[in-house]
Amino acid sequence: MTRREAWIRRELAYALTAALILIGFLAAPGPRPDLGEGSRFMGYVPPGITRAEPFGFDDPESHILIVYLNGSKGEGKPDLCDTSRPGINVPRTATELGGRMVGGYRLAVFAFCTRTKIGGFHRDDGDGVPKVVRRADELDLLLRHIAKSGFPPQRIFVMGQSAGGWAGLLVQRNNTERFAGLIAFAPAFAGYHGRRVEAWQRERDKQADFIGQADRLNALIFGFDQDRFEPVRAMTWLRDIPGVTYVALTGVTIDGIACDGPDSHGSVFKDCFRLTQTRRILDFIESSLTVPAS
């Protein structure tokens, strides 16, 4: 081998090594998004999950992942995300899905407590960005990280109540391929219907118009007649989006089972909802799967 041939071979080897390093860098999941305090799998914990690798599924091909996002308090009030027991910030309707089988896959429910606790909209000391938008951005970042970690987006579902469900709508509207489907319970974020100040009403209507222009979404949405935030009559725009299944309930009695308490906005936390609507949720998840189990 001549000196020139040896030099060419050495340079090619350097170039190949650099290319492999670059490919590995681009393929790596990158820094893990900030999982706010309380973020955890509820009930069933998939094999391979550790503190260092919160989405290191041993066998992602056998699972469906549900990312749950809790509701919010007022814009300037810090949100709580207590996942220590089912039924506090995460309803049993969600937590009891963990470990169940759907379409040959095992469900895993991850409660995502966002870092964002307060927002900056319509506040003298704020930056104008609503809390729900910040939370949607964090959810989007988490979903991209999970996909890069090796979990198929076609078996990721987002589930959320109130502002958690609205954040899911924003993410799906921006990128329908980020996850397979959305299950939202009484999505809302801008205060009580009919009692909003003008700035909040404009922001709510702007976001509703943005979501409503979607060509298609894949979502199962539950609304309630007596909801003080977004009653059924105020959500016709959402019901008209192709691919959205909007289930209108009274929140007083559901399928013959009386609901305790007057707050229909939080009906997902009640037995009347869990006992009557879980099968509908499971059917939606199964019907949304695009890749059959092996």
Side-chain angles (χ1 to χ4, degrees):
M1 179 185 300
T2 66
R3 180 177 296 180
R4 179 174 176 76
E5 288 173 335
W7 178 83
I8 292 174
R9 179 172 292 185
R10 185 172 62 250
E11 291 300 311
L12 287 174
Y14 289 156
L16 178 60
T17 300
L20 290 174
I21 292 173
L22 178 60
I23 291 171
F25 174 78
L26 293 175
R32 187 184 73 198
D34 187 351
L35 302 179
E37 184 178 356
S39 297
R40 59 167 59 96
F41 281 93
M42 303 297 294
Y44 169 72
V45 180
I49 300 301
T50 65
R51 185 180 296 273
E53 296 290 343
F55 303 103
F57 287 76
D58 280 349
D59 186 10
E61 295 303 321
S62 67
H63 285 84
I64 291 171
L65 174 61
I66 298 174
V67 177
Y68 183 87
L69 210 60
N70 60 286
S72 290
K73 292 183 177 295
E75 191 75 356
K77 297 179 180 179
D79 289 342
L80 299 177
C81 191
D82 188 348
T83 58
S84 60
R85 299 194 311 275
I88 301 178
N89 283 126
V90 187
R92 292 183 183 275
T93 301
T95 61
E96 291 184 359
L97 297 179
R100 295 187 65 161
M101 299 294 296
V102 174
Y105 300 97
R106 191 170 300 279
L107 296 176
V109 179
F110 182 78
F112 177 39
C113 297
T114 56
R115 178 187 59 191
T116 295
K117 302 300 180 185
I118 61 173
F121 181 79
H122 199 53
R123 295 176 57 218
D124 292 338
D125 59 346
D127 59 3
V129 181
K131 185 192 301 187
V132 71
V133 172
R134 293 174 187 254
R135 298 187 69 204
D137 289 344
E138 288 193 54
L139 174 62
D140 184 70
L141 183 63
L142 177 69
L143 293 171
R144 285 190 279 128
H145 174 80
I146 294 172
K148 286 185 177 181
S149 297
F151 201 97
Q154 64 266 27
R155 289 202 306 280
I156 299 175
F157 289 80
V158 170
M159 180 181 285
Q161 190 262 345
S162 192
W166 193 283
L169 282 167
L170 291 174
V171 175
Q172 192 176 53
R173 170 64 175 86
N174 278 318
N175 191 332
T176 57
E177 297 181 359
R178 192 74 76 211
F179 55 95
L182 170 69
I183 302 123
F185 313 110
F189 83 97
Y192 292 152
H193 175 75
R195 294 172 54 185
R196 302 182 185 110
V197 297
E198 184 178 354
W200 273 113
Q201 187 64 51
R202 284 200 307 268
E203 179 64 22
R204 181 268 185 197
D205 291 344
K206 181 180 75 173
Q207 292 190 25
D209 184 61
F210 171 70
I211 297 169
Q213 291 178 21
D215 292 332
R216 185 174 184 83
L217 300 176
N218 185 42
L220 173 63
I221 313 292
F222 293 91
F224 302 91
D225 286 337
Q226 291 80 20
D227 192 334
R228 293 178 295 173
F229 293 88
E230 293 288 356
V232 171
R233 66 182 181 276
M235 301 295 272
T236 55
W237 60 272
L238 180 59
R239 303 167 74 175
D240 291 339
I241 300 174
V244 170
T245 299
Y246 189 93
V247 180
L249 302 170
T250 68
V252 177
T253 300
I254 301 177
D255 291 353
I257 299 179
C259 299
D260 295 329
D263 179 20
S264 62
H265 186 67
S267 290
V268 66
F269 288 89
K270 302 176 182 180
D271 287 342
C272 61
F273 186 93
R274 177 177 58 86
L275 295 174
T276 61
Q277 302 305 308
T278 295
R279 173 43 56 189
R280 193 191 300 267
I281 293 169
L282 293 172
D283 288 345
F284 169 76
I285 291 173
E286 184 166 14
S287 69
S288 300
L289 297 176
T290 57
V291 179
S294 57

